[in-house]
Amino acid sequence: MESLLSLFFRGYLILGAAATLYVIVYFFLSGLTLFDQGKKRPTPLRYQCSYIFIMCLMMPVFYLIFIEEILSLPRHYQAQKQKTAKSYL
């Protein structure tokens, strides 16, 4: 029983680490944070650093709470790209 529980928690944390990397890569690519709702806002460097730090510490454990926001990141990123493309026209 103990090994099964240990295996479950290890798998949960591995998925959390993958979700964390996914969120941080999207932040570096697009500048969108998990909480921006698709609207890129100017953010000072200290807030960007703290966002990355907090994501690395807390996200592997609490990623299931934010799963909808994580899955919507590509949609927000595409919407942002289309919006900037329209502004250049």
Side-chain angles (χ1 to χ4, degrees), residues 82-89:
Q82 289 176 354
K83 186 177 180 181
T84 57
K86 286 181 183 179
S87 68
Y88 286 127
L89 294 178

Side-chain angles (χ1 to χ4, degrees), residues 67-82:
I67 196 70
E68 289 180 22
E69 288 86 359
I70 293 170
L71 295 176
S72 69
L73 278 174
R75 186 177 57 235
H76 292 311
Y77 180 64
Q78 290 298 328
Q80 180 191 11
K81 280 177 55 176
Q82 289 176 354

Side-chain angles (χ1 to χ4, degrees), residues 3-34:
S3 66
L4 184 61
L5 192 59
S6 174
L7 182 65
F8 172 75
F9 283 127
R10 187 172 295 155
Y12 180 82
L13 288 176
I14 289 171
L15 286 174
T20 302
L21 289 175
Y22 182 74
V23 168
I24 290 173
V25 165
Y26 259 99
F27 176 68
F28 282 127
L29 288 177
S30 66
L32 293 174
T33 67
L34 192 60

Side-chain angles (χ1 to χ4, degrees), residues 18-75:
T20 302
L21 289 175
Y22 182 74
V23 168
I24 290 173
V25 165
Y26 259 99
F27 176 68
F28 282 127
L29 288 177
S30 66
L32 293 174
T33 67
L34 192 60
F35 311 107
D36 280 343
Q37 299 293 326
K39 297 174 186 150
K40 186 175 177 182
R41 298 180 180 109
T43 309
L45 181 63
R46 64 184 172 155
Y47 292 151
Q48 292 175 2
C49 293
S50 66
Y51 174 78
I52 292 170
F53 182 68
I54 294 298
M55 284 293 123
C56 289
L57 289 177
M58 303 297 284
M59 194 62 160
V61 178
F62 296 110
Y63 74 95
L64 279 181
I65 296 171
F66 303 107
I67 196 70
E68 289 180 22
E69 288 86 359
I70 293 170
L71 295 176
S72 69
L73 278 174
R75 186 177 57 235

